[in-house]
Amino acid sequence: METTTNTQMTIGLAEAIDLGLMDHDKAEFYETPGGFTGFRYNGEDYKRIVLRRATPIADPSAYISVADHENKEICVIRSLSDLSDDQLKIVSGELDRRYYCPEIVEIKSVKDKMGYIYMEMRVTGRGEAFDKNCAVKDVSKNIRLLDDGRLIVFDVDGNRYIVQDMSALDKKSVRRLEPYLF
């Protein structure tokens, strides 16, 4: 009877689980004339791809899924830091568009009507401040206080808003949010 060591089992498991990590020598991101992000990989040319973060809040720069327009995964980028500067610029631009997340700087009002929370807030995004209204359903799932003092809000349209530091919000804003923090 043959015995196996933990090291042999680990190597076998790593070989059995293929994460499909991107081979940088076979990969090239590019911008299409239509303004989409394209991807040449392993001899294939994908004219339009979708990038998704595996852990968008905890570690947004690691494990980025690259999928074709039919959402079939092509490969996974282990870390954005592995990309060259020109490739990083293209990938970061696409991720910024997909994960656009204005920062909430003030909560002007919160109204609870028929199972929805309607928020009027002041946000900053892409260098400018503006007023924004949003509706939130199922508050316990869509208004989340994170361990590091940040707050994230998901509205009914799939938009995301973030408070980078709850302690930096004015007292009125915090008071308006408190009933919805779990």
Side-chain angles (χ1 to χ4, degrees):
M1 185 167 142
E2 207 175 300
T3 62
T4 58
T5 65
N6 285 342
T7 305
Q8 289 171 320
M9 287 176 29
T10 304
I11 292 170
L13 183 59
E15 291 170 354
I17 299 174
D18 179 14
L19 294 177
L21 294 176
M22 185 175 80
D23 181 345
H24 296 278
D25 295 332
K26 299 178 183 178
E28 178 191 4
F29 293 94
Y30 64 94
E31 293 178 2
T32 68
F36 298 109
T37 299
F39 184 54
R40 291 183 192 97
Y41 188 66
N42 206 17
E44 296 286 328
D45 189 2
Y46 304 91
K47 303 280 187 215
R48 186 172 183 182
I49 59 164
V50 177
L51 299 175
R52 289 190 185 89
R53 291 180 164 127
T55 55
I57 296 171
D59 193 357
S61 65
Y63 297 104
I64 311 297
S65 171
V66 182
D68 65 14
H69 69 282
E70 295 175 350
N71 285 321
K72 182 177 182 240
E73 189 170 85
I74 302 163
C75 62
V76 174
I77 302 168
R78 181 188 303 263
S79 174
L80 293 180
S81 65
D82 296 339
L83 299 174
S84 66
D85 289 343
D86 61 329
Q87 295 290 282
L88 177 62
K89 182 179 177 185
I90 294 168
V91 169
S92 293
E94 181 67 22
L95 288 169
D96 288 347
R97 283 187 292 278
R98 179 171 179 79
Y99 290 93
Y100 176 62
C101 186
E103 181 176 353
I104 299 170
V105 293
E106 178 187 2
I107 302 294
K108 294 183 170 196
S109 71
V110 178
K111 296 178 181 144
D112 192 345
K113 291 183 183 176
M114 302 196 45
Y116 289 86
I117 303 301
Y118 295 91
M119 297 173 63
E120 180 184 348
M121 52 197 167
R122 184 86 176 152
V123 299
T124 60
R126 297 190 174 134
E128 60 185 59
F130 54 96
D131 290 335
K132 179 73 178 161
N133 295 322
C134 75
V136 178
K137 185 171 174 71
D138 198 0
V139 178
S140 64
K141 290 181 183 175
N142 292 313
I143 298 179
R144 298 184 200 155
L145 186 58
L146 306 175
D147 291 341
D148 58 1
R150 293 183 299 162
L151 178 84
I152 191 157
V153 176
F154 300 91
D155 73 8
V156 295
D157 296 321
N159 299 311
R160 300 172 191 99
Y161 305 91
I162 193 160
V163 176
Q164 291 292 350
D165 182 2
M166 283 293 291
S167 65
L169 272 183
D170 63 279
K171 291 179 182 179
K172 285 183 181 179
S173 294
V174 172
R175 223 179 3 247
R176 290 177 180 129
L177 282 173
E178 279 179 341
Y180 310 104
L181 303 179
F182 299 99

